[in-house]
Amino acid sequence: MSKKIMVYKGVLFEDSFENYLSRESTSICQFLYFLCLDDIAKHVERTFYTNKSWHFKYSVSSMIKLFIVKCFRKLSYDKTISSLTEEEAILLSFFDENCQIKLPSGGTLHHFVKYRLGEEGINEIMMLLGEKILKLSSEKEAKIDSTPLEASRYDKHVDYNPHYECKMDKAHITMVGTYPVFMTHTNGLVADSPELIKHIEALQKMDDNIESYSADGGYDSFLNHAYIWFHLSAKPVISYASNAVINSEGEIERIDHWVNKLWKKGGDINAKTEDKLRFLYQNGRMIQVGMYLRNQNIRDNSFKELYKKRAECEKIHGHIKDTVKFDVRRVRKQSRKMYSLLNFVAYQLLVLT
């Protein structure tokens, strides 16, 4: 919301988001004041809280905004609390019915993030935010890429990746336009390609309406082409090797051959090409469908222009790392996935703001 009204100590305050856009320096809490999280807060209350009223000592919406402040300021839980001014506490709605400032302790915020929400809760919030971003955005082009989550060079529990020449975990991120909607976390040596199906399933749950899905050569496989086309009804824009050739099994003559061969199951060579491909996919010929789709990309003169749009990935990954703590340095092994997701969700919320 661009305007908001608040009553504090009997005084009515009205403020507008536009008042802060031209300022050189503004508190993150001032921007979060305009962020409405009521629907997400209600989902968290229903899903991760019991019916005991004492669990609602602090507003869930305020606690979510407070962990955004933690991620943005890159502070510990205790230092995040101590960094808040009285005005910032009011902006985050940390005051009681008597208008007395009532801030949680660092331990309370830690308990809310790690034990009340946990990895499952943060994942659910990420899905809700991704769905919200998709509804608000007019972008129709999705893209996926991985980025290193660097670790300390002395960390014994993290893989060394020779390509990036560092110890690291990986974040696999799907964006729609320049907006991040979904992320998975893996160790540093996991291949990119197997992660794609998780992202496709997430986009389906978010009720996406994309027209293309771009990826680099690390995701190049016939199955991935077929998955994107079939499950998302989108054009797969996956980079192929410079020596890639037209695969004969993906030509229309072979498509017709197999449709005709499966006539007892309903194959009709007079059907539209799209219907024939869908029929083959549903009858176990996914690789052949992927061959057809990649053949079309090799022949498409506009393919390189479409693929260029994927270049935004690295720029946005860099911006995420500049904005929040998007690495695994000084994070315990069992907590790395959760804190990587937490920082990603914080960035999503900042994008929505």
Side-chain angles (χ1 to χ4, degrees), residues 1-258:
M1 58 181 70
S2 60
K3 288 187 178 180
K4 194 169 178 182
I5 297 171
M6 177 176 67
V7 177
Y8 182 70
K9 291 187 177 180
V11 180
L12 182 70
F13 296 90
E14 183 175 349
D15 207 350
S16 173
F17 189 82
E18 285 74 16
N19 293 338
Y20 302 91
L21 294 178
S22 59
R23 295 191 183 184
E24 287 186 11
S25 179
T26 304
S27 166
I28 183 65
C29 301
Q30 186 67 68
F31 286 116
L32 292 175
Y33 171 67
F34 297 101
L35 179 62
C36 180
L37 295 174
D38 292 347
D39 53 344
I40 291 172
K42 285 176 184 175
H43 175 81
V44 171
E45 289 170 9
R46 287 195 306 266
T47 311
F48 299 102
Y49 281 74
T50 68
N51 292 325
K52 294 178 180 178
S53 58
W54 57 265
H55 279 141
F56 297 93
K57 184 176 181 182
Y58 300 102
S59 157
V60 173
S61 178
S62 296
M63 293 295 277
I64 292 173
K65 290 180 180 181
L66 189 54
F67 83 61
I68 300 173
V69 175
K70 177 199 179 311
C71 294
F72 181 78
R73 290 181 173 171
K74 303 176 185 177
L75 297 174
S76 67
Y77 288 101
D78 287 335
K79 287 182 178 178
T80 299
I81 303 303
S82 62
S83 73
L84 294 177
T85 64
E86 182 177 350
E87 181 186 1
E88 288 174 335
I90 294 168
L91 290 170
L92 297 178
S93 299
F94 280 111
F95 55 87
D96 60 21
E97 62 276 4
N98 299 317
C99 294
Q100 297 298 311
I101 302 298
K102 198 171 185 180
L103 282 170
S105 67
T108 301
L109 178 59
H110 175 262
H111 185 273
F112 173 77
V113 170
K114 189 164 184 179
Y115 300 105
R116 181 60 62 193
L117 290 179
E119 194 177 306
E120 180 188 354
I122 294 167
N123 264 309
E124 287 197 27
I125 292 175
M126 176 175 63
M127 292 292 291
L128 291 169
L129 291 173
E131 187 174 351
K132 193 182 287 281
I133 290 169
L134 283 170
K135 285 179 180 176
L136 292 172
S137 172
S138 59
E139 295 283 351
K140 300 295 181 185
E141 297 161 352
K143 59 210 77 170
I144 183 172
D145 199 7
S146 62
T147 189
L149 300 171
E150 291 191 42
S152 165
R153 62 193 297 183
Y154 305 108
D155 196 323
K156 298 178 181 179
H157 304 290
V158 186
D159 294 324
Y160 177 81
N161 188 305
H163 175 72
Y164 291 101
E165 298 182 341
C166 66
K167 287 191 171 184
M168 54 176 271
D169 284 354
K170 265 188 186 180
H172 306 260
I173 299 172
T174 287
M175 297 190 298
V176 174
T178 57
Y179 306 117
V181 295
F182 186 71
M183 172 195 145
T184 53
H185 174 280
T186 65
N187 69 49
L189 294 178
V190 166
D192 292 345
S193 186
E195 291 298 299
L196 180 64
I197 191 65
K198 298 176 188 175
H199 289 246
I200 290 172
E201 289 169 353
L203 286 171
Q204 282 183 290
K205 289 178 183 176
M206 293 175 194
D207 196 23
D208 73 288
N209 187 28
I210 61 172
E211 294 174 356
S212 67
Y213 198 5
S214 304
D216 64 24
Y219 300 87
D220 183 25
S221 76
F222 297 130
L223 282 176
N224 283 346
H225 280 79
Y227 290 154
I228 292 170
W229 176 82
F230 184 82
H231 294 291
L232 298 178
S233 299
K235 177 181 175 62
V237 184
I238 303 176
S239 179
Y240 50 83
S242 58
N243 60 351
V245 297
I246 298 294
N247 196 294
S248 60
E249 199 65 18
E251 295 292 83
I252 196 66
E253 294 81 9
R254 296 299 294 168
I255 296 292
D256 286 343
H257 168 79
W258 276 98

Side-chain angles (χ1 to χ4, degrees), residues 293-306:
L293 294 167
R294 190 159 75 132
N295 283 355
Q296 301 310 301
N297 282 346
I298 293 173
R299 290 190 173 109
D300 187 354
N301 293 327
S302 64
F303 178 83
K304 288 184 180 179
E305 202 60 37
L306 281 171

